[in-house]
Amino acid sequence: MKTIRKYILGAMALTLGLTSCGDYLDVKPRDIITLENFWNEKSDIESVIAGCYTVMAEEEITARMMIWGEFRSENVNIADETKDPSLTLALKEGINATNWYTNWRAFYNVINRCNTAIYYANEVASKDPSYTASEVGAHIAEATAIRSLMYWYLIRTFRNVPYTEEAFLDDTQQFAIPVSSFDDVLGKLIASLEAVKDNAVSSYPEVSDENSLANYYNTGRITRWAIYAMLSDMYLWQQNYDKCIEYSQAIIDYKKEKIKENKKYNLSDFDKFGGYPIIPTRSRENTYGNAFTEIFIKGNSIESIFELNYTKTGNAANSPSNVPASNFYGNMDRSPFVTYSSYVGLDETQETYRVYDSQNKGLDARGYENFYSNWTPAMIRKFTIAYPGPLQIYFTSASVDNITKGISSGLPYGTGKEYASYNKSNWIIYRLTDVMLMQAEAYALKIAETEGNVSSDVDKNYLQKAFNLVNAVNKRSVMQYPLKDTLTTANIKTKKAITDLVYQERNRELMFEGKRYYDLVRRSLRENPTSSIKNEYLRSQAKNKSTALENTINTRFALEDALFWPYYNDEVKINQYLREAQNRAYSSGETEE
């Protein structure tokens, strides 16, 4: 049996078993299998696709989602330089081609699993009469979306990458693949998702057993709405703003219908947020933190579109855990690898309002929810708080002009049984407010007037729509009763002003969720062609993480290529195409001979 076949079979043997609906997100290693008796039944396809979720939830991928998407931004700084040398170098902009976090093998592992499942799906259908055409289409759509998600992370991180939809099945195939450009890969991802979106499952049936893993399917597996979120994101990067608005609006409309079916919420609450179905942060009287509890502590909230699940039931030691969140952000038994920068972390406590808008006057719940501000060592709260929580923020006065700040509760993982390896915080990839702010950015960028105050009725309409979306997201987090608008359009009169506001709100809302650095890159790529200063906005923001790094960041990001990571040196050695296309903004990390 050829080496590559052994590799594929070994990977299959580690995939999730699927014997019933509730087993899909559970870990049950299959018996040793051979190629000859595989690819005969529907369950074989399901098992390999399920295995993709397992690999995505493992440390090698989720750690990179965090590092690649967030850690080079102004939000994150190093906490302990001794814990992870590769991470320390990345945070200090000392990246080179030998840095461990340039290794992309786990992403291509998932990509090949998806390609293999797609390759065999129709063959299996010809052998298994119970495997219907609609199920084949749904599985191909699911595998295509997972593959696209992996490539989406790769091109936003490395820019130009090897792209293939071919399944590698034996050693006779050519493994060294030339790189494709960012624009070429992005176009292929959009085309492949457009081709399968209508075949994807719209929603999975929920069951009466509250502990059943099947109830996580609608947010823990790819659905049509997850594909729409990916398309919204991709079209925004492609600067096709009408398509971004189209798909993001479809998600918003769907969530509005779902919230009507959910008896947990009072529909009148959403009128406060312009009718957008986002969870109120106020739980009772002057107690806040409800939205944070639902979204981040319990997980799989009504706002969720797609997140990687770490089950909170059963044997904690034998079910997947979010180890990177616990390692990077910290827990009660272990100090964190990284911490929040003083630029963002002292905003509320010292009332600097560099991030959390001064118009909120210390009432933005996110300024307290994101941080353990009184914890030593300083820790990030998102994805580290112990379940079942909840997180509660108390105010003895909720007056904007006379506020007495209360105490935020909720302890990090590490109390008793819930130590580092048992962290069960889901890793959220897409949620509703993310999509709403994508749409806000698209409306802002549709404004034609680039100089001076917006004056045309068309552009004023775009500006107002963008502002309404930002205001809804911001207002949800204001700890005030009765709730009032705190943001105003008084100073939002130009395309740049509304664009800046959207980016500021995305950072407030999505901080530490692996979004910020990608947002900065997207803006740089869009603005660089007409700007005399490369990566101007990114540089102005990123250097805020540390005064000690200000000069390094200014120098590093003088080159557009430096926005992206170099190819891992071990990969370059075996693929001559990577050698030719290596990112010249970085050294190899090895002594040249």
Side-chain angles (χ1 to χ4, degrees), residues 1-10 169-171 175:
M1 185 176 293
K2 295 184 180 293
T3 303
I4 188 63
R5 289 175 127 192
K6 291 180 180 178
Y7 171 79
I8 292 171
L9 292 176
L169 305 174
D170 61 55
D171 284 343
F175 294 104

Side-chain angles (χ1 to χ4, degrees), residues 523-540:
R523 183 163 179 168
S524 288
L525 294 180
R526 185 175 67 242
E527 294 180 350
N528 279 347
T530 58
S531 175
S532 59
I533 303 175
K534 297 300 180 188
N535 311 318
E536 182 175 11
Y537 183 78
L538 183 149
R539 292 160 73 181
S540 70

